[in-house]
Amino acid sequence: MIYPTTAADNAPTDEEYEHLLMVAKRIQNPRKRTKAVFMLRAMGELGLRSGELLHFRPSWLDRERKIIQIPVQDDCRCRYCQEQAAAAAENDDITQAEALENYWQPKYRASHRAVPYTKSDKTVEITEQFADMVGNYDCAQSTINRRLNRLIECAGVNEDIHPHALRAYAALWWARQGLEAVYLQGLFGWNDMRVAVRYIQAGGNQLQQRINELTQANDISDGEHITDLTTGGLHNTDEVISQAQATSSPAEHPRSRDGSPSIEQPSTTETPSPDCSQASLQSYIDA
């Protein structure tokens, strides 16, 4: 049986994501560079959908709390919304103006949410820099796709990466850090918690960490202390519990496809793909 490919299947590895960022940072025009880096970090770290990225406004930022507040509805007449309204009008036999009254809205009701942008200092910096320097994207979904494809070509990474695969990369990253399903669902705005559970299962780290905790606790028992593997509780002294916690394995750091550890920031000794010339990047800017 052939199973359909999912966004998670096409998510970049840690190394591929870092290469994409490295190429984006080489764009010489400050405004274009800011737009490119924010595009990657907003989808690949904050987990924004491409539609949410296209409708980002500086007014969505709460700088004091460091969150992006995605609204229930935002009146919009951008190219993306006009394209969506035109398609809706054709399908529902109404005028485009009538259809446009419903735009813009996030994908689900649950997608109205607060998204912290504090994953790293660089994420905070580029989010607020984009809000101050650029403000918002004024382009169609196809433009986002073209620009991402150009960065992929310049970086020489998996050509199957697409905007939703970047969002899947973010979901897998947070699942591997141990973020529970209810919080993962809230962060990504899924309508169904089962989606969050699937990402946690795909990451595998929470299950491995729990097994490690139970195994380590069982290993140090000396016959007088009984480990209850059914309930996950330890019926022993406080000292044994503290020892078990101290010896339990931390969550495994995400790894790349070749098994090498993930790198939080690209090394200063790394060089981009040979195809990543300024001429290639200029074609990205003109896309």
Side-chain angles (χ1 to χ4, degrees), residues 243-261:
Q243 290 177 6
Q245 293 173 338
T247 56
S248 63
S249 301
E252 181 185 353
H253 197 284
R255 306 181 76 84
S256 59
R257 286 196 181 106
D258 62 1
S260 61

Side-chain angles (χ1 to χ4, degrees), residues 2-281:
I2 299 177
Y3 294 95
T5 301
T6 66
D9 295 327
N10 293 325
T13 65
D14 295 328
E15 183 179 6
E16 287 173 328
Y17 180 68
E18 293 297 345
H19 273 289
L20 286 171
L21 278 176
M22 184 165 44
V23 169
K25 291 174 183 177
R26 283 172 51 88
I27 297 173
Q28 293 182 347
N29 182 292
R31 183 179 175 88
K32 300 293 186 181
R33 180 172 62 247
T34 298
K35 292 174 73 172
V37 175
F38 181 66
M39 176 183 71
L40 293 173
R41 290 199 186 275
M43 293 188 290
E45 296 178 26
L46 306 183
L48 297 191
R49 294 182 175 90
S50 56
E52 295 164 350
L53 174 69
L54 286 169
H55 290 89
F56 174 89
R57 303 283 185 271
S59 60
W60 291 13
L61 280 192
D62 183 336
R63 298 184 188 234
E64 182 177 347
R65 297 169 60 201
K66 302 299 182 190
I67 63 172
I68 297 173
Q69 186 68 56
I70 299 177
V72 175
Q73 184 171 1
D74 195 3
D75 291 339
C76 183
R77 300 296 181 267
C78 72
R79 297 182 212 174
Y80 174 87
C81 286
Q82 291 182 33
E83 290 176 355
Q84 295 297 310
E90 184 176 344
N91 292 334
D92 299 338
D93 195 24
I94 58 177
T95 67
Q96 184 171 340
E98 290 172 329
L100 200 55
E101 292 178 1
N102 296 321
Y103 288 89
W104 174 79
Q105 296 179 6
K107 186 173 183 179
Y108 303 116
R109 194 75 178 178
S111 302
H112 162 55
R113 66 196 189 280
V115 179
Y117 59 93
T118 51
K119 179 178 179 288
S120 70
D121 290 342
K122 289 182 184 274
T123 310
V124 173
E125 179 184 3
I126 193 61
T127 300
E128 297 184 352
Q129 181 179 321
F130 179 86
D132 293 337
M133 180 184 292
V134 180
N136 62 278
Y137 289 97
D138 182 18
C139 63
Q141 175 69 56
S142 57
T143 302
I144 292 292
N145 295 341
R146 283 199 308 272
R147 290 178 177 175
L148 178 58
N149 288 340
R150 197 70 193 112
L151 289 176
I152 290 169
E153 182 181 344
C154 288
V157 298
N158 177 18
E159 62 182 16
D160 291 329
I161 297 171
H162 50 82
H164 205 61
L166 282 177
R167 178 172 147 88
Y169 171 77
L172 287 168
W173 191 92
W174 283 111
R176 287 166 179 159
Q177 307 316 301
L179 194 63
E180 293 88 347
V182 63
Y183 299 115
L184 200 60
Q185 180 190 19
L187 180 60
F188 286 85
W190 291 310
N191 215 29
D192 190 336
M193 190 180 292
R194 287 176 295 183
V195 179
V197 172
R198 286 199 293 269
Y199 275 99
I200 290 173
Q201 291 172 335
N205 286 36
Q206 289 194 37
L207 176 60
Q208 181 179 356
Q209 182 179 8
R210 185 60 181 144
I211 289 174
N212 287 344
E213 289 173 354
L214 294 174
T215 303
Q216 294 285 356
N218 194 45
D219 286 346
I220 66 171
S221 103
D222 57 7
E224 297 178 1
H225 309 108
I226 303 172
T227 303
D228 185 345
L229 295 179
T230 302
T231 64
L234 296 174
H235 301 300
N236 48 31
T237 65
D238 291 340
E239 179 181 359
V240 174
I241 293 176
S242 63
Q243 290 177 6
Q245 293 173 338
T247 56
S248 63
S249 301
E252 181 185 353
H253 197 284
R255 306 181 76 84
S256 59
R257 286 196 181 106
D258 62 1
S260 61
S262 150
I263 303 171
E264 176 60 26
Q265 296 298 330
S267 168
T268 55
T269 59
E270 290 188 55
T271 56
S273 164
D275 292 335
C276 182
S277 63
Q278 282 303 321
S280 296
L281 292 178

